[in-house]
Amino acid sequence: MTALRLGPLLRYVDWERGESATVWVEADRPCTAEVRCEDGAGGSTRTFQIAGHHYALIPVTGLRPGA
């Protein structure tokens, strides 16, 4: 099973529309990182590798402004 080394960290929020954000994580090996929210918003992406570390910047869409 893949484990997180760091994160999740909120990296970016679209404050104008409030419908999207980007979350950053570091995993212990290559994987598909996924964010799921209770209201159905979410996103997923594959990790990328730099110097033996596996990172992902996950675009999260479908957020409800103010929720």
Side-chain angles (χ1 to χ4, degrees):
M1 177 173 213
T2 302
L4 290 180
R5 286 190 174 173
L6 293 172
L9 297 172
L10 184 60
R11 178 77 175 114
Y12 170 80
V13 175
D14 178 5
W15 292 109
E16 283 187 34
R17 297 176 61 194
E19 299 171 350
S20 65
T22 302
V23 174
W24 175 89
V25 298
E26 180 183 356
D28 64 349
R29 62 182 168 176
C31 65
T32 298
E34 181 177 27
V35 172
R36 289 189 219 168
C37 303
E38 286 184 13
D39 65 0
S44 66
T45 192
R46 293 285 303 166
T47 56
F48 56 92
Q49 184 176 344
I50 299 175
H53 295 264
H54 305 280
Y55 302 105
L57 290 168
I58 307 151
V60 180
T61 57
L63 296 169
R64 290 181 308 158

